[in-house]
């Protein structure tokens, strides 16, 4: 019992240290849209930005539990993979972790009542419009490679990932929705985006059929899409996803085709 308690204390200390590492590495930022909507976000820049080089842009959208105004909770999942020294050396990029305000739901006016009827906000929510505007500003930066813009998200953020690429497929080279969902029939619009989809088959929060259906629709549309389903995994399918040996290699290998904007 004593050894178990010691292990728990050590584990808690490790989590605290890694969280602190992420907090210090990602700068605190705020974007204010043309409509006056504020959007907190954290930014990780390449270790050394060279003026004549262009770097990929990664957008990471968190889940429901990380909403708020502290500009910190959104780093809880996923931020560490970009801080791995080897990854920072091999895959220098601008990495953005925006934080969704407590009262909103990224792409939707409210939490969808049904995964079968996920009606999107007609003109996008004001927060999602601010996010798109911020992405466009970064894409226009001289040191950002606009042909290598990537978006990923988990749970609520996975739903938002689907929504964003369905609306603006021409700007994203790759998308990684993790345990996400989208209204049937919408995702085929993003057939030119490279996809990796992840889900656990024991997910009782977002049914695994949501990802299976999105995969089938993308395949039917001729998309370049891979689907990974984790046996016995519940809602936290982001953990095995981030531990895929080629997770970063696949992501940063993607690039828009020349005939796309």
């Amino acid at each position: 019992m004593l050894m178990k308690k010691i292990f728990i204390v050590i584990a808690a200390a490790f989590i605290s240290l890694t969280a602190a590492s992420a907090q210090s590495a990602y700068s605190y930022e705020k974007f204010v849209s043309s409509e006056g909507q504020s959007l907190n976000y954290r930014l990780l820049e390449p270790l050394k930005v060279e003026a004549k080089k262009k770097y990929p842009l990664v957008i990471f959208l968190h889940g429901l539990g990380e909403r708020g105004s502290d500009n910190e909770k959104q780093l809880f999942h996923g931020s560490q993979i970009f801080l791995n020294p080897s990854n920072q050396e091999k895959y220098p990029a601008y990495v953005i972790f925006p934080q969704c305000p407590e009262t909103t739901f990224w792409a939707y006016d409210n939490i969808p009542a049904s995964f079968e009827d996920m009606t999107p906000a007609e003109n996008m929510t004001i927060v999602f419009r601010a996010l798109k505007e911020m992405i466009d500003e970064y894409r226009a930066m001289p040191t950002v490679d606009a042909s290598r813009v990537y978006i990923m998200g988990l749970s609520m953020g996975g739903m938002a990932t689907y929504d964003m690429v369905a609306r603006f497929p021409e700007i994203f080279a790759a998308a990684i929705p993790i345990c996400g969902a989208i209204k049937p029939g919408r995702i085929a619009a993003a057939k030119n985006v490279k996809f990796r989809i992840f889900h656990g088959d024991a997910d009782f929060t977002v049914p695994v059929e949501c990802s299976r259906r999105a995969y089938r629709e993308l395949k039917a549309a001729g998309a370049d899409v891979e689907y990974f389903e984790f046996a016995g995994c519940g809602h936290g399918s982001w953990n095995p996803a981030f531990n895929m040996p080629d997770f970063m290699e696949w992501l940063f290998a993607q690039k828009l085709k020349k005939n796309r904007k």
Side-chain angles (χ1 to χ4, degrees):
M1 181 63 73
L2 178 60
M3 288 299 295
K4 183 177 180 181
K5 289 182 178 178
I6 292 174
F7 174 79
I8 292 172
V9 170
I10 292 174
F14 175 77
I15 292 171
S16 178
L17 285 171
T18 54
S21 173
Q23 294 296 344
S24 61
Y26 287 80
S27 63
Y28 287 84
E29 308 290 345
K30 177 181 285 189
F31 176 78
V32 180
S33 73
S34 58
E35 298 178 279
Q37 174 65 42
S38 295
L39 185 64
N40 289 332
Y41 70 100
R42 301 294 291 276
L43 172 67
L44 181 70
E45 297 183 285
L47 291 175
K48 183 181 179 181
V49 177
E50 298 181 30
K52 294 184 179 180
K53 284 191 174 182
K54 290 181 179 290
Y55 302 89
L57 173 64
V58 182
I59 310 298
F60 190 107
L61 303 179
H62 64 76
L64 186 70
E66 291 74 58
R67 294 182 303 171
S69 58
D70 63 352
N71 207 6
E72 294 183 355
K73 286 188 293 185
Q74 74 267 34
L75 295 179
F76 192 76
H77 298 296
S79 61
Q80 286 295 327
I81 58 175
F82 298 101
L83 293 181
N84 179 295
S86 176
N87 287 339
Q88 283 192 290
E89 186 70 28
K90 289 173 65 177
Y91 310 113
Y94 291 93
V95 184
I96 294 176
F97 277 70
Q99 185 176 37
C100 184
E102 186 74 39
T103 56
T104 57
F105 197 78
W106 279 138
Y108 298 87
D109 293 315
N110 298 290
I111 296 176
S114 166
F115 290 108
E116 298 297 323
D117 184 23
M118 300 179 65
T119 303
E122 185 175 353
N123 297 313
M124 299 200 295
T125 64
I126 190 170
V127 170
F128 223 43
R129 293 199 297 272
L131 175 62
K132 173 57 168 54
E133 191 174 322
M134 181 177 70
I135 292 172
D136 288 341
E137 284 202 6
Y138 270 89
R139 287 176 62 232
M141 287 172 50
T143 53
V144 167
D145 186 348
S147 71
R148 299 175 69 198
V149 179
Y150 313 129
I151 187 167
M152 67 177 74
L154 55 91
S155 193
M156 178 185 76
M159 300 175 199
T161 296
Y162 278 128
D163 188 88
M164 187 65 81
V165 296
R167 292 179 187 272
F168 307 103
E170 70 281 359
I171 73 172
F172 296 102
I176 301 180
I178 304 173
C179 56
I182 187 170
K183 185 174 182 177
R186 289 189 66 212
I187 197 56
K191 65 181 181 180
N192 290 323
V193 179
K194 302 285 186 65
F195 276 87
R196 270 194 170 184
I197 300 171
F198 298 93
H199 218 120
D201 71 354
D203 191 333
F204 296 108
T205 303
V206 180
V208 67
E209 178 57 27
C210 293
S211 286
R212 292 172 179 171
R213 181 172 57 213
Y215 171 73
R216 291 194 300 267
E217 291 184 4
L218 284 165
K219 283 296 277 188
D224 185 338
V225 54
E226 296 178 81
Y227 175 51
F228 299 87
E229 188 171 298
F230 304 113
C233 181
H235 193 49
S237 52
W238 49 86
N239 293 315
F242 296 150
N243 282 299
M244 293 282 290
D246 66 341
F247 186 91
M248 299 287 276
E249 180 183 6
W250 178 88
L251 178 66
F252 286 96
Q254 310 312 318
K255 190 171 185 176
L256 285 177
K257 295 179 180 178
K258 291 184 179 179
N259 62 345
R260 293 174 62 190
K261 294 179 181 180

